[in-house]
């Protein structure tokens, strides 16, 4: 192991230990159980739900898409899946009912922002594939 990796790894372990100490020392047992449930839920949503969807859609994409579009579609799928998982609490407005008198809590149009992100990802994924296909057709002439 290089010295740089050892230093970075040691710093990461120390920061994780400090974070765990803060978590355990500043919350009660029910707060720590909520954190544990939130962490476990994140892992389950990512590994079970998102992973399964990515595998199924990837299998379909390998049958339906041309070979040139598969890498871009896979990258776009991973980005869109992660963005969607991150956006669910904002789109659902979770937590808004806990502070109804706080006008700054979830005060934006998150649906429009999410749709703009989806459109951006789709454009970034589709545009290079189209340009590549057009260039390939032009070179064949």
């Amino acid at each position: 192991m290089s010295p740089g990796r050892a230093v970075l790894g040691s710093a990461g372990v120390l920061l994780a230990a400090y974070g765990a100490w803060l978590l355990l020392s500043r919350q009660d047992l029910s707060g720590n159980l909520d954190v544990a449930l939130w962490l476990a839920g994140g892992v389950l949503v990512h590994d079970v739900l998102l992973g399964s969807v990515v595998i199924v859609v990837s299998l379909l994409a390998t049958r339906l898409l041309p070979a040139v579009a598969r890498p871009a579609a896979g990258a776009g799928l991973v980005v869109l899946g992660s963005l969607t998982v991150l956006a669910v609490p904002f789109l659902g407005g979770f937590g808004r009912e806990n502070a109804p008198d706080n006008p700054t809590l979830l005060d934006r149009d998150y649906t429009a922002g999410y749709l703009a992100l989806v459109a951006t990802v789709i454009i970034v994924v589709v545009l290079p594939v189209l340009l590549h296909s057009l260039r390939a057709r032009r070179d064949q002439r």
Side-chain angles (χ1 to χ4, degrees), residues 1-10:
M1 178 183 298
S2 70
R5 283 186 178 200
V7 168
L8 287 175
S10 299

Side-chain angles (χ1 to χ4, degrees), residues 3-130:
R5 283 186 178 200
V7 168
L8 287 175
S10 299
V13 169
L14 286 174
L15 287 173
Y18 179 67
W21 179 76
L22 285 177
L23 177 69
L24 295 174
S25 66
R26 296 190 179 189
Q27 289 196 32
D28 58 356
L29 181 62
S30 68
N32 287 331
L33 286 175
D34 289 342
V35 170
L37 286 173
W38 181 79
L39 289 172
V43 170
L44 286 175
V45 166
H46 182 271
D47 290 352
V48 175
L49 181 67
L50 184 58
S52 300
V53 169
V54 167
I55 289 170
V56 169
V57 172
S58 297
L59 288 174
L60 291 173
T62 57
R63 293 183 181 265
L64 300 175
L65 291 176
V68 69
R70 291 178 193 158
L77 177 66
V78 169
V79 171
L80 277 179
S82 300
L83 282 174
T84 301
V85 169
L86 286 173
V88 165
F90 298 100
L91 294 173
F94 303 140
R96 187 176 289 146
E97 66 276 356
N98 293 336
D101 54 344
N102 184 354
T104 63
L105 184 65
L106 299 173
D107 62 340
R108 296 189 178 129
D109 185 2
Y110 293 101
T111 302
Y114 173 73
L115 292 176
L117 273 173
V118 168
T120 303
V121 170
I122 289 172
I123 289 170
V124 168
V125 166
V126 170
L127 192 60
V129 173
L130 287 176

